[in-house]
Amino acid sequence: MRTLTVKPKPKQQVATERRVAPERQVVPRRRPPTKRRRAARRNLTAYGFLCAALFCFALFAWWPIVREVVLSFQQTNLVDEPSWVGLDNFRTVVNDPAFGEAWRNTFVFTLLALLCGYVVPFAVAVVLNELRHARAYLRFVVYLPVMLPPIVSVLLFRWFYDPGPGLFNQALDAVGLPTLAWLDSTSTALFSLVIVSTWMNLGAGVLIYLAALQNIPGELYEAAELDGAGILKRIRHVTIPQTRLILTLMLMLQIVATMQVFIEPYMLTGGGPENATVTVAYLMYQYAFVYGGNYGAGSALGLMLMLVLLAVAAVQLRLTREEK
């Protein structure tokens, strides 16, 4: 029987293999990212989105405010070099006979719009919430005016208010009532604009109120019914307390929106008759684009309106904090 013998390697060959072996084991291995590195990468992405949002907000919201404040102290036509005039623009605006009328019309419009545009959508939302049939269809019908562009809605109401073939006068004539000069009378022109504004914004308000109403637990209504509460008592003791936060927020938003009314007087009455529908926003437009491009006076009036709206927002925030 033959036996295999292994010859020992020469010492020089073994030494060469030992020197070469470490070179074969040099394989760089990537270490997994540490927790700190992953957090930094995630925060970097978040900061990128935040910077983009801040840039857009600063460009389209904050910069116009800063520009308006600067223009209110300047005399400029936006072409030549502007000159600082101090408070002259504010004196020009305050001494204008239309200044007081514009503020009075704006406050009256806001009050009437709150009575109609704040109470009516809430009442419609409560009624829709109580219905058991055709709820989705009625929501669509109520929200439909919001889908129309504001200019289309205003032109539609111009036909409604037409003293000749207008829909409203035709309806009054059909029931034997005297017709009205809706937009041509100082006693009805401003209220006519309130009707247009209420109809245009009714759908959005109803949907917001409906969303708040559907978050109220049904057990509260069941307990109220077991106690013998009717619908009015349920609204008073359950609905209104449970939607108080939304009601407060909508009140503030509606005041801010209605005090900036512009499209309705611009398209329907042009500020007339006899300045009965001149509002602050419409007077700003007249200073900037009708009265020879007095951008400084228009900016001064806009700054006054902004300060009033800031005061309203501050009062609303104060009341909200006290309720909490």
Side-chain angles (χ1 to χ4, degrees):
M1 184 175 181
R2 296 178 61 185
T3 58
L4 295 177
T5 58
V6 179
K7 295 181 178 180
K9 295 181 180 180
K11 292 182 178 180
Q12 185 176 3
Q13 183 179 354
V14 173
T16 304
E17 289 178 353
R18 289 178 178 175
R19 287 197 299 270
V20 172
E23 295 180 356
R24 292 178 181 175
Q25 296 176 356
V26 178
V27 178
R29 300 180 61 183
R30 298 183 59 183
R31 292 186 301 177
T34 62
K35 186 181 296 184
R36 180 179 299 178
R37 188 175 299 177
R38 288 197 301 270
R41 188 178 303 172
R42 184 173 59 250
N43 292 336
L44 186 63
T45 305
Y47 285 134
F49 283 111
L50 178 62
C51 290
L54 287 177
F55 175 77
C56 293
F57 201 75
L59 181 62
F60 297 107
W62 294 338
W63 171 243
I65 295 175
V66 174
R67 184 65 176 157
E68 181 191 30
V69 174
V70 173
L71 279 178
S72 63
F73 296 97
Q74 290 181 338
Q75 187 69 37
T76 177
N77 56 6
L78 301 181
V79 177
D80 301 328
E81 190 69 20
S83 58
W84 291 91
V85 294
L87 299 176
D88 287 351
N89 289 327
F90 293 91
R91 297 190 186 96
T92 301
V93 171
V94 172
N95 293 328
D96 189 343
F99 177 77
E101 293 177 328
W103 280 104
R104 183 175 63 253
N105 293 334
T106 300
F107 284 125
V108 172
F109 181 90
T110 302
L111 180 62
L112 294 175
L114 287 179
L115 292 176
C116 297
Y118 185 67
V119 177
V120 173
F122 184 72
V124 173
V126 171
V127 172
L128 290 180
N129 195 48
E130 294 290 332
L131 293 178
R132 296 293 181 266
H133 303 285
R135 184 184 297 179
Y137 171 75
L138 292 176
R139 287 179 187 174
F140 172 76
V141 171
V142 171
Y143 190 72
L144 188 60
V146 182
M147 299 180 185
L148 293 176
I151 188 65
V152 175
S153 301
V154 171
L155 292 178
L156 182 65
F157 269 84
R158 175 182 285 180
W159 173 68
F160 287 168
Y161 289 138
D162 192 290
L167 179 64
F168 290 164
N169 277 346
Q170 292 290 335
L172 292 176
D173 188 60
V175 296
L177 295 176
T179 58
L180 298 175
W182 295 93
L183 300 176
D184 299 326
S185 172
T186 55
S187 58
T188 58
L190 193 62
F191 186 72
S192 301
L193 301 186
V194 173
I195 295 176
V196 180
S197 177
T198 302
W199 186 82
M200 290 169 56
N201 300 303
L202 178 68
V206 169
L207 285 189
I208 294 174
Y209 290 135
L210 269 177
L213 292 174
Q214 291 178 356
N215 287 328
I216 301 177
E219 293 81 4
L220 297 178
Y221 288 112
E222 293 174 1
E225 289 178 358
L226 291 176
D227 292 339
I231 184 170
L232 294 180
K233 287 188 177 180
R234 293 202 302 270
I235 294 174
R236 179 184 175 186
H237 296 290
V238 178
T239 304
I240 293 178
Q242 292 294 321
T243 58
R244 182 171 297 168
L245 181 61
I246 293 297
L247 290 174
T248 307
L249 178 64
M250 290 295 291
L251 177 64
M252 193 272 291
L253 292 179
Q254 190 145 3
I255 291 175
V256 172
T258 52
M259 290 195 70
Q260 301 180 62
V261 57
F262 172 74
I263 294 179
E264 291 86 348
Y266 175 71
M267 291 300 301
L268 290 177
T269 61
E274 300 177 4
N275 288 342
T277 57
V278 171
T279 61
V280 174
Y282 185 75
L283 188 59
M284 290 165 53
Y285 163 78
Q286 287 185 318
Y287 277 124
F289 301 104
V290 179
Y291 298 158
N294 194 348
Y295 301 104
S299 300
L301 188 56
L303 183 59
M304 294 179 187
L305 179 61
M306 186 181 71
L307 294 177
V308 172
L309 295 179
L310 285 176
V312 173
V315 171
Q316 190 270 338
L317 289 176
R318 181 67 179 272
L319 294 177
T320 304
R321 288 180 180 176
E322 289 180 354
E323 289 181 357
K324 290 181 179 178

